[in-house]
Amino acid sequence: MSDRIRGHLAMLAFSALVAGSFSLGSMASVHIDPAAFNAVRFVIGAVVVAGMVVRLTPGGFQRLQFRAPWRYLLLGGLFGAYFVLMFEGLKTAPPVSAAAVFTLTPIMTAGFGFLLLRQVMTGRMALALAIGAAGALWVIFRADLSALLAFEIGRGEVIYFIGCIAHALYTPLVRMLNRREPVLVFTFGTMVGGALVLFGWGWAEVLATDWANLPTIVWVTLGYTAIFASAVSIVLLQFASLRLPASKVMAYTYLTPTWVIGWEFFLGNGLPTVFVLGGVMLTVLALGLLLKDEG
C-alpha cells in the first residue's frame, strides 16, 4: 500500500473521529468553559502521545526534534484555537449546522496551501471539492430544500467559522514546518504547545472550574476528545498532511456531516430519510475522484 493511499485512509478515520466531537461537544459545552476544557484535554492528549512515542518510535524522544520550539507553539495554538472556538460555537449551533460550517474548510485550506506551499488544484480535484460540497449540504439539510433555503448564520456558526480558518491554516503549516521529525514526536510537540497556549489564555477559567462536580457527559466528552479527537486525530492529520496536498487532506471534511448524522443516531436522535443517501453517494463519488487524482 502506497503512502498516498495510507494518507487517504488516515483522513477517512480522522473524519469519523472528529464527527464525534460535534455531537458530544454540543452536550458538554454548556457545562464547562471551552478554554478550561480544552487546556486539560490537550494535557491528557500529550500524555497519551508521549506513551505512544516511547513504545512506537525508534529512539524515542531526541533533543534535536525540539529545535525551533516556536513551531509547536504556533501549530498547537492554531489547533487549540480551533477546538476552543468549536466548543464555544456549539453552545448555540446544532451539531449538524456546525458540520455545515466545517465543510467550508477545504476551500480555505486550498487557498492557504497555494499561498504557503504553491499547491495548485487540478481540474479533477476542483470537481471533487464541488461535488463533495454539494453532497455534504444535501446530507446536512437531510435532503430538505426548504431547510437549505431557510438557513441563517447564527452567532455559534460565526464563532466556529473563525475556528475553521485556524484549522485551514494549520494543515499546510504542518508540511511547511516539519523538519523530518517522526509523526508521533511532532504530534507530541504540537499537543504540548497547544496546552501551553491554552493554559496561558484560560488559566483563570481552569482554576474557577468545579472539576469535582462536573456532570458525567463532560468527563465522557473529555476522555473521548482528549484521546480520539485530539491525540489520535492529530496523528492522523499530520500523517496525511505529510503525504497529501493540503486541499486533499481537508476534502475529507465533506464526510464529517455524514458521520455526525451517524453519531446522532447512535446517541438516540433518529435516522435521516432515505433521500439523504443521495448526498452520501455524492461524497463517496468526490472521494473516488480524489483517490484517482494525481495532482
Side-chain angles (χ1 to χ4, degrees), residues 45-63 65-66 72 181-192 231 234-235 238:
V47 172
V48 172
V49 175
M52 296 169 66
V53 171
V54 172
R55 291 182 60 87
L56 302 176
T57 302
F61 291 108
Q62 300 177 18
R63 180 177 299 180
Q65 296 164 344
F66 296 98
Y72 298 117
E181 292 89 357
V183 171
L184 287 174
V185 174
F186 203 63
T187 299
F188 172 79
T190 301
M191 297 298 293
V192 171
I234 198 173
V235 169
Q238 292 189 349

Side-chain angles (χ1 to χ4, degrees), residues 149-236:
L149 294 177
F151 180 74
E152 295 181 359
I153 301 295
R155 178 177 181 274
E157 286 84 354
V158 172
I159 291 173
Y160 182 49
F161 176 74
I162 298 172
C164 288
I165 295 175
H167 197 305
L169 177 58
Y170 168 88
T171 304
L173 280 177
V174 168
R175 178 175 288 196
M176 183 177 179
L177 298 179
N178 182 271
R179 300 181 181 178
R180 298 186 178 180
E181 292 89 357
V183 171
L184 287 174
V185 174
F186 203 63
T187 299
F188 172 79
T190 301
M191 297 298 293
V192 171
L196 290 173
V197 171
L198 290 175
F199 269 104
W201 174 263
W203 64 271
E205 288 75 13
V206 173
L207 294 177
T209 299
D210 185 5
W211 295 97
N213 294 309
L214 290 173
T216 302
I217 184 59
V218 174
W219 292 108
V220 171
T221 305
L222 181 61
Y224 176 85
T225 55
I227 296 173
F228 296 105
S230 289
V232 175
S233 70
I234 198 173
V235 169
L236 294 171

Side-chain angles (χ1 to χ4, degrees), residues 255-270:
L255 277 184
T256 303
T258 303
W259 289 117
V260 169
I261 288 176
W263 273 92
E264 290 292 287
F265 170 71
F266 177 76
L267 294 173
N269 295 326

Side-chain angles (χ1 to χ4, degrees), residues 4 21 70-71 114 122 130 160 163 177 218-219 232 269 271 294-295:
R4 185 181 294 269
S21 296
W70 61 268
R71 298 176 298 151
F114 173 75
T122 65
Y160 182 49
L177 298 179
V218 174
W219 292 108
V232 175
N269 295 326
L271 279 172
E294 297 298 328

